[in-house]
Amino acid sequence: MQSPYRRARIALVSSASALAVLTTSPVLAQDAASVEDYDTNIIIVTAQRQAESLQDVPVAVSAFTSEMLESQQIENTLDLQQSLPSTTFTKGNFTTSNITIRGIGSAGVAASSDQGVGVHFNDMPMFVSRLFETEFYDMERIEVLRGPQGTLFGRNATGGVINLITARPKANFGASGEVQYGNYDTKQVKGMLNLPFGDIGGARFAGTYQNRDGFTNNLYTGNDIDGRNSFSLRGSVQLNPGDATTLNIVTQYFKEKSNRSRIQKQLCATDATAILGCRPDQLSNGVVNADATLASILTSREFFYIAGAGALAPFSLGSVYGSDGHVYSNAVNPAGVRTMALDFEPVYRAEELIVQAELEHDFDNFTVTLNGGYTDNSVLSQTDASFNVSNSLATNVGYQTLLGAAQAGNPTAQFFLSQPQFSGNQLCVSRPDELNAGAIAGRIYDCAGNTIDFDQSNNNYRQWSLEARVASDLDGPVNFLLGGLYLNAKGESNYYVMASQLDYASLMLGGGAGVLAAPFFNSDTILNKLETYGVFGELYYEPSDTLKLTAGLRYSNDKKTVHDRSALLSVRVPFGTQDANAAGIAPPRMISRSFDEITGRFVIDWKPEVAFTDDTLVYASFSRGTKPGGINPPFDAALFIAPETFAPEIINAVEIGTKNTFSDGALQLNLTGFYYDYKDLQVSRIVNRTSFEDNTDATIYGVELETIVRPTRGFTVNATASYLKTKIKDLQLVNTRDPSGGRDDVLIIKDLQQAANCAVIPTVQGSIPIAQTAAIVNAFNNGLSAAVGNPGMLQPAVPVPGTNTMGAFSVCSQLAGFLATSFPGAYQLNPTPSGGVLLPSGVEVDLSGNELLNSPKWKFSLGAQYQIELASGWLITPRADLHFTGEAYGSNFNLNVDRMKAYEIVNAQMTVTSPDDRFYLRGYVQNLFDTQATTGIYISDPAVGLFTNIFTVEPRTYGLAAGFRF
């Protein structure tokens, strides 16, 4: 006997609106019946790990067959999200991405963070993957489950699950191929070959290759950047050693080597004071004030004096007050999201190997399934850190003074110029280096006549997993599914910020003796390990033909281990703190944490017989999901107090829905409503070059509509719509864009050691006028200037553009000590673990009631196609799709500068298919009106000037494709 689950593996799977499977491609449409017998086309889904008719499944699930992907021009994940209700997708700042379903995603950047939306490859969960780097090809289907999956799927997921299911070998010989050419000199080739082995199984081979020029023009070099050059190959084998046994093995390899940028554009309204770097109230095509950045501060004459190196001040590269003009003062940030001026062009390298297998055997009324495999993936991305071109060093007074002193015979200057940081008159930048030696050991990346800065994000992850399931197919009213999962993953990741100014500072402060290490910033996760297991089960009870009850439970256990450290020169924070070892690099932090949770669901679904529909399902469910906690990235505990770990998320979800079929299948209408009570939602913030995860509570609710209308056999209209409301319950955080929190009595400080921002905050709001606080800080700065031998070095406080208050350069730790002694109780102070005091990083603002990021209230899609059958048998199929994504925020602070405007994407194509369905020609256009919408934002750290990176949709593309299939 073939079990329902096994039948599902070879069945057609679709979505809650997926009657479109039968009509959205010329191929399947020819097999569709007339309107009068639409209801005979049974669509099978496996959203509950068992084969069930679509309209019998009490789950919000969408799925796309290969034909649907082709006809709706869904080539990658950015396209996929446009066709899904309550779903968004955006790239991330650190070679990551964020898929958000019903407001739940994974915006965190901690190496140990989990995804809010689980990603599966042929039912195998993946901790980290590069599946969204490549285009979709030779897929059987893509399933998207919305809502918490706390029982049957993978490792738990609070937002939902995306399951990419590849095409399996078929019983008959088959082959297909397609060549495509489009604008941006796009060349793409896809192919498939299916070879049957008779009764024992078969093999299937598929692949895709893409090469195109860049979408973005770099005015500085004249080159096009953001191009693609990638390929992916897949081999699948199916063996049937007996009637009851099936073994599927899939191996997929992907590689990319391109100049793709992980960041589309950098925006900033320049803050002339450099207290912040960019104004907090505007986004424009300005450039960050470099005097606000760590690289400029550590090479400034002010810092040289504070660091006790005043004798070298003539060789400093400038002043934080811009008296020489900051290093980006002549830079231009061109208008338009696809025009840049960069002196460092992006590098992108990605690679992934997946070996996955599934063994299934029927024991009469029971089916046993083993699923698992191995993955190994890596990625390396380098991008211009400042997104502009710095000034020539030929105009830099301090640099030219150094060169002149060396020519005049100054032994100190000659010694400096003999070091690897210099090549003739050019200044060099270190190569990213896990040994943290860089230029000190002669590891040079490049040299130039201006300052170079870039960042590098790279990681490598490996995992293996095994899942076992037993599903029953009993004749009585009771059935069950039992299973267990074990997964082991480990990897390494690094994030570097390289700048020739940091190399310069390292050389000067180290006296050229090589005692300094890490002449750059490096957050290094040496080992990130996950070991997880779970046991789960569901019980199904059908007291009648129209009523079904489902109850499920899952126990999950996750153990996370991290070895990591963060290095920046050997100048520990605060300056002068001794390092933990002679090399100047603190030893790795070693920490492990375990998280376990019990989750599950209860569902009741009812199929009443009503006169006005052909088929109706009404269901209600309660489910509980979780996302494990984790370990925050490394930070300097001597500087500030911060949580080392963050707690797991818990979501309690109620969902009600109805699925209906009318007029013998000519109309399908499905409606879902949901309400989430969210505990300990993980949200991310960045403080002093380190990202932290915080926990808060939230409420989420919404409605989703999916429908298919087919008034005639050849005409199909499909639509989705969603309304989503998200609300943060109780969260107070400092907005790094404006540490004053909007108050007019708080003085913002730019720290002259770390380029961080802190704030002088009166203990009682309004008790001390800002003018009085400014006078106190000015007096302290005058004393500090005199103490380091440069009277008048630090200038008075000034108004900070875009805020209600004033700001000044100073040294936060010393200023805090001065205030504690001279004005006890007047200002808020925070103790540090080392026993000193630091000024608070800013005023916390209340985010309660704010919307969650990347969560548009309104979203809809509408598609239509009409098949024209000619007398000769040729088919002409025009199709158009409109996708609308409403306004959303890119940050939980919900400021105007965080607002992402609503946008529409229009796609269209026309396909001509031969009478025997062997050949076709397709003309297409995507993003017809060349929308340049923003899909996500990332607000940078104060140490680099608080610029904003944005991520966008792809531009208008068009072209022709020709293919065959046998």
Side-chain angles (χ1 to χ4, degrees), residues 899-939:
R899 195 184 304 270
M900 300 185 297
K901 294 181 180 179
Y903 67 94
E904 304 85 23
I905 298 290
V906 176
N907 301 330
Q909 67 175 341
M910 181 175 290
T911 304
V912 179
T913 309
S914 65
D916 57 2
D917 192 39
R918 298 298 192 192
F919 303 97
Y920 63 90
L921 181 67
R922 178 167 54 92
Y924 66 89
V925 59
Q926 289 186 292
N927 193 1
L928 176 63
F929 299 108
D930 200 23
T931 296
Q932 298 185 353
T934 298
T935 61
I937 70 173
Y938 177 83
I939 304 164

Side-chain angles (χ1 to χ4, degrees), residues 412-717:
T412 301
Q414 289 178 336
F415 176 77
F416 285 147
L417 289 177
S418 69
Q419 300 304 305
Q421 284 90 339
F422 295 92
S423 177
N425 292 338
Q426 293 186 324
L427 183 59
C428 303
V429 64
S430 286
R431 188 175 73 214
D433 172 18
E434 291 187 11
L435 297 178
N436 293 300
I440 294 172
R443 299 183 177 95
I444 299 297
Y445 188 91
D446 198 7
C447 304
N450 64 332
T451 58
I452 304 173
D453 52 57
F454 68 96
D455 68 356
Q456 175 176 304
S457 178
N458 62 271
N459 62 60
N460 176 270
Y461 280 88
R462 299 160 298 281
Q463 78 164 55
W464 67 270
S465 67
L466 178 64
E467 182 176 273
R469 299 188 299 270
V470 179
S472 71
D473 183 20
L474 304 173
D475 294 332
V478 178
N479 275 284
F480 65 86
L481 186 149
L482 296 174
L485 168 76
Y486 177 81
L487 184 147
N488 187 297
K490 61 181 179 180
E492 301 176 5
S493 65
N494 284 274
Y495 178 68
Y496 297 91
V497 178
M498 320 298 296
S500 48
Q501 288 172 282
L502 292 178
D503 282 290
Y504 194 85
S506 172
L507 177 65
M508 292 288 170
L509 296 171
V515 297
L516 289 179
F520 43 71
F521 171 71
N522 177 18
S523 181
D524 180 8
T525 302
I526 303 163
L527 172 66
N528 179 36
K529 183 177 180 181
L530 167 70
E531 189 172 20
T532 181
Y533 67 88
V535 292
F536 54 89
E538 285 197 334
L539 185 68
Y540 313 105
Y541 175 56
E542 298 183 63
S544 70
D545 292 339
T546 61
L547 186 65
K548 181 179 178 181
L549 305 177
T550 300
L553 283 176
R554 180 188 190 96
Y555 171 77
S556 302
N557 182 281
D558 295 86
K559 182 179 181 181
K560 298 182 177 183
T561 302
V562 169
H563 295 181
D564 58 14
R565 63 185 173 192
S566 181
L568 172 65
L569 307 183
S570 68
V571 183
R572 304 295 286 173
V573 186
F575 181 82
T577 301
Q578 294 299 311
D579 293 309
N581 59 33
I585 303 298
R589 176 185 64 163
M590 300 184 182
I591 182 172
S592 293
R593 291 291 186 271
S594 292
F595 308 93
D596 61 351
E597 197 68 47
I598 295 177
T599 56
R601 68 171 184 155
F602 178 80
V603 187
I604 179 169
D605 57 273
W606 177 44
K607 299 196 67 177
E609 293 185 6
V610 293
F612 53 87
T613 70
D614 302 330
D615 187 59
T616 292
L617 171 69
V618 179
Y619 68 90
S621 68
F622 172 81
S623 57
R624 179 181 173 88
T626 186
K627 184 170 81 170
I631 302 164
N632 275 316
F635 60 93
D636 194 327
L639 177 62
F640 57 91
I641 299 173
E644 198 166 44
T645 62
F646 50 93
E649 295 182 352
I650 299 293
I651 178 173
N652 295 313
V654 175
E655 182 172 307
I656 58 174
T658 179
K659 299 183 177 184
N660 304 275
T661 304
F662 303 85
S663 302
D664 296 325
L667 170 63
Q668 184 171 322
L669 183 66
N670 299 330
L671 186 66
T672 304
F674 56 90
Y675 177 87
Y676 294 172
D677 181 27
Y678 220 118
K679 302 294 184 184
D680 291 325
L681 172 69
Q682 296 163 9
V683 295
S684 182
R685 62 187 169 111
I686 187 166
V687 180
N688 291 348
R689 302 179 308 278
T690 299
S691 290
F692 289 91
E693 303 294 315
D694 293 295
N695 294 101
T696 186
D697 296 341
T699 299
I700 301 172
Y701 58 87
V703 180
E704 298 164 346
L705 171 71
E706 298 175 288
T707 185
I708 298 292
V709 182
R710 295 191 301 171
T712 67
R713 178 183 178 186
F715 183 41
T716 304
V717 178

Side-chain angles (χ1 to χ4, degrees), residues 775-830:
I776 292 171
V777 171
N778 293 340
F780 168 80
N781 281 346
N782 289 335
L784 178 61
S785 298
V788 299
N790 187 12
M793 176 183 70
L794 299 181
Q795 298 180 10
V798 295
V800 179
T803 73
N804 298 322
T805 191
M806 303 177 71
F809 283 89
S810 192
V811 179
C812 288
S813 57
Q814 296 184 33
L815 175 58
F818 167 76
L819 293 175
T821 302
S822 303
F823 304 93
Y827 294 97
Q828 296 180 23
L829 300 170
N830 285 339

